[in-house]
Amino acid sequence: MEFLRDFFHYLNPKVIIETLLVWLGPFTYIGLFLIVFAETGLAIGFFLPGDSLLVVAGLFAAAGKLNLWIMMVTLFVAAVVGDAVGYYSGKKVGQAIFTRPKSRFFNPKHLKRAHEFYERHGGKTIILARFVPIVRTFAPIVAGAADMRYRDFFVYNVAGGFLWVTSMLLTGYFLGEAVERVFGIKLEDHIEKVVVIVVFLSILPIIHEYLKEKYKTKEEENPGKNSTVTVNTESS
């Protein structure tokens, strides 16, 4: 239990950024680059914070502790390069990755969820998946395994990376400024609460997909339960 508590403590975006600022100082952007790259491009990076890290980084920028423009450029590049690596790893491994057994760092369910997402939305998955934790990590791998044309993937990758990074950073940046201006509250002093809200909002799509799939399964198991019976009455 103590190990898990420490594990989640160090995954807190506030703790991550504060630690990077202490250890790396002006090179903190390199640390953030590597985290975003790993979360988007490496299958083992699915557990790393994505949305919440970017929003909190925006809060730190609003507080003057990080440069917003440097982050917008470096983290955009990290997101695009990360997805490209995921795409090529999926293309190289191909269909074999779908039969890979579960291990400490790999869960086939995550890949299956991303594959279903890809089947449903096609190429747009690369953009939409940016805003869905876990699916964001595995979507480019699925696209590569499905032999999606790289030219198409590149367009979706750049568009999705730009929308995701800028929207999350600017949300944190302007949210911090607005709350301080209107309510006189510095969000940087309440970042833990912000993280909880952002994480909840980011997993809403997953909750929605889970409930929809559960409802669909129930309907398949009980096909006649919700069907209506039409009674035909004829007058003699």
Side-chain angles (χ1 to χ4, degrees), residues 75-88:
L75 301 186
F76 163 68
V77 173
V80 171
V81 173
D83 261 27
V85 169
Y87 171 88
Y88 278 112

Side-chain angles (χ1 to χ4, degrees), residues 99-158:
T99 58
R100 184 178 176 181
K102 182 178 179 180
S103 65
R104 180 179 298 181
F105 297 107
F106 179 79
N107 189 335
K109 287 184 178 179
H110 298 326
L111 189 64
K112 181 176 180 292
R113 186 182 302 152
H115 184 262
E116 291 172 350
F117 206 89
Y118 181 81
E119 289 292 314
R120 191 177 302 117
H121 300 290
K124 291 181 295 184
T125 297
I126 308 305
I127 295 178
L128 299 174
R130 288 286 188 182
F131 300 88
V132 184
I134 299 178
V135 174
R136 173 169 54 244
T137 303
F138 291 94
I141 298 175
V142 170
D147 285 327
M148 180 180 182
R149 191 169 60 171
Y150 183 73
R151 185 169 61 184
D152 296 332
F153 174 83
F154 178 78
V155 173
Y156 288 121
N157 183 16
V158 171

Side-chain angles (χ1 to χ4, degrees), residues 190-226:
H190 305 277
I191 288 182
E192 286 81 2
K193 296 176 183 177
V194 176
V195 170
V196 171
I197 295 173
V198 172
V199 170
F200 174 74
L201 292 176
S202 65
I203 65 174
L204 275 180
I206 293 179
I207 296 175
H208 175 262
E209 290 294 326
Y210 170 77
L211 292 176
K212 188 167 70 173
E213 187 65 27
K214 189 174 182 180
Y215 179 74
K216 180 181 177 182
T217 303
K218 281 187 176 181
E219 279 194 331
E220 291 174 350
E221 292 176 351
N222 304 284
K225 191 173 182 181
N226 297 320

